Amino acid sequence: MNIKTKLTLVIGALVAMIVLLVSLSIVNLQILTATEPNSPAAGPGLQRALLWISTIGGFCIVIGIFMLAVLPSYFNKPIKKIIDGIKDIANHNYDCRLNLESHEFKEVSENFNRMAKRLSDYHSSTLVQIKAAKNYMEAIINSVKEPIIGLNNELTILFINDEALNVLNLKREEVLQKSAQDISLRNDLLRRLIRELMDSQKENKVGKTEPLKIYADNKESYFQMKYMQINKPGNNNSGSINEGYVIMLKNITEFKELDSAKTTFISTISHELKTPISAIMMSLQLLEDSRVGDLNDEQKELAQSIQDNSERLLNITGELLNMTQVESGKLQLKPRITKPIELIEYAIKANRVQAEKFNIQIEVQYPENKIGKLFVDSEKIAWVLTNLLSNAIRYSPENGRIIIGVRQTDDNYIEMYVRDFGKGIDPRYHQSIFDHYFRVPGTKVQGSGLGLSISKDFVEAHGGTLTVESEVGKGSCFTLRLKA
Ligand code: ADP
């Protein structure tokens, strides 16, 4: 029997009872009043009729109350079960099943159970797949021989490979899903990594920092820290959202060792070359002085050429020696109080012959009374100015003009500048000219590409800066800025 029939029967029975009650009472009362209203039988007849009416009426009320109590829950129960089932599914409880007996809900519960089973099968299969993919990723990360650490944007460690655990001297269970900042309180290296990461974030550096010296594998090792920011596209194409970071450490110990071997080699060779070059120059001096006989014009020309090239060779070995000093960290400054004009005069003197050769005018801008003194290694800074002036001469046309000058800034810095009106430098190369061995492509003038990089190192070792302003065809201005 379906609900509709049940409902029809119940309501039908109720209506029939009410009709029966009403008709019985009407018939009874009619009979009573129609026959003998004043007869003695009318009293008990009326009583009987009232008894019937109240009995049947009471019975109807009881049935009514019963239906009122039972019917709502009868219909509500299966609907509630269905709602609970849907809630379970929404909460990913795919094991829930419905067991509704009544005819019309049976089909609903069968379909619901079928759906739940399919969802459960799908869920367990995707879980297995996700787990397999995760294991696969972990195997890849672990097989990488460089330390790798993955963090979310709150710096919780999401993954870390064996190599990183080894270098950091940590255990996997101690770090996974833990805050890197908390762990870094008791781990110096992790603290450095996090600090470098945060610093590079603040300074907006691109994923690479200074090498880290780490004691690993029972020896001092050098690691280059690299990091990647993991970004996810934002909603409605509104830029990207930072999801976290991956820190990678590249072991560069081998390269460092090779680099240091190279530096030692260059340093030894340059040093060894200085003595024979000086001997050649001394011999040339003797030839020039005509102490060993007069030279004819052709011989003089050859001697001059040998002299020029020996000087160049001596310059190059000097530059190489300076470079190795910086690279090996052996650069020792001997600062003393120095007047900037002394440095300028030294640089002009060192370049006088060269400037005269190309008929170049050197102009000095020096506001005597306004310039303070410097506390610097005068040899090194004089070398820098000499090199800048030599470049200005070499990269200027014949009969050109060069300005060398000093000014003092309001924030108490002394700026020394060398300005030429030569070929200038394309802005593309303004950074690279300060790199070792870099020469602007197409530069015909001979050179080693070392002068500016060494100059920058020397100035920075004093806490100063060396910068360039230049425009192709208009000339260049190199400025050296040091604390007064
Ligand atoms: P070198 O001059 O020995 O090649 P430097 O390190 O002094 O090495 O200079 C690097 C490069 O920068 C030069 O090769 C040259 O191309 C460019 N350069 C340096 N100074 C000047 C200048 N005053 N004018 C134009 N180009 C310059």
Side-chain angles (χ1 to χ4, degrees), residues 312 316 319 394-395 439 443-450:
R312 265 199 64 216
I316 293 172
E319 282 184 347
R394 288 188 303 136
Y395 297 108
R439 309 202 71 222
T443 303
K444 293 200 179 68
V445 179
Q446 281 185 327
S448 62
L450 279 173

Side-chain angles (χ1 to χ4, degrees), residues 59 63 65 107 206 242 259 296 300 366 434:
F59 185 65
I63 288 187
I65 290 170
E107 206 180 327
V206 205
N242 176 17
D259 194 48
N296 63 30
K300 271 187 191 161
Y366 194 82
F434 296 105

Side-chain angles (χ1 to χ4, degrees), residues 67-201:
M67 284 199 311
L68 229 111
V70 171
L71 264 187
S73 72
Y74 177 79
F75 290 112
N76 211 15
K77 225 175 181 178
I79 290 170
K80 193 172 175 303
K81 275 189 181 171
I82 292 170
I83 290 171
D84 287 348
I86 291 169
K87 275 187 190 158
D88 276 348
I89 295 285
N91 291 331
H92 305 285
N93 175 15
Y94 303 121
D95 294 332
C96 78
R97 295 290 181 271
L98 289 184
N99 195 12
L100 303 173
E101 293 297 332
S102 66
H103 176 71
E104 43 289 301
F105 286 111
K106 207 167 181 170
E107 206 180 327
V108 173
S109 76
E110 276 170 12
N111 284 331
F112 180 93
N113 291 346
R114 203 170 309 130
M115 175 194 77
K117 187 176 178 314
R118 284 211 184 141
L119 279 172
S120 167
D121 290 349
Y122 176 72
H123 184 243
S124 45
S125 73
T126 40
L127 253 186
V128 168
Q129 278 171 4
I130 291 168
K131 245 184 147 187
K134 186 174 170 271
N135 289 344
Y136 187 63
M137 290 295 290
E138 275 174 3
I140 292 176
I141 292 166
N142 267 332
S143 63
V144 176
K145 288 286 158 255
E146 311 289 356
I148 299 182
I149 308 166
L151 307 152
N152 67 10
N153 54 6
E154 278 159 6
L155 300 183
T156 304
I157 298 180
L158 300 180
F159 61 83
I160 181 163
N161 68 353
D162 293 341
E163 203 59 36
L165 289 169
N166 181 28
V167 169
L168 288 165
N169 200 13
L170 288 168
K171 291 202 176 70
R172 190 174 294 277
E173 57 278 8
E174 286 174 357
V175 293
L176 271 190
Q177 299 300 332
K178 305 265 163 60
S179 156
Q181 271 165 325
D182 289 350
I183 301 166
S184 70
L185 295 177
R186 53 194 156 81
N187 189 298
D188 290 348
L189 182 52
L190 189 63
R191 188 161 57 243
R192 273 169 70 192
L193 294 180
I194 300 293
R195 200 177 51 220
E196 295 263 353
L197 178 69
M198 292 294 103
D199 287 352
S200 31
Q201 282 293 100

Side-chain angles (χ1 to χ4, degrees), residues 22 106 114 126 180 200 231 248 315 352 421 431 460:
V22 172
K106 207 167 181 170
R114 203 170 309 130
T126 40
S200 31
N231 289 330
M248 288 167 284
N315 273 341
R352 178 155 294 141
F421 302 89
Q431 289 265 316
E460 284 177 357

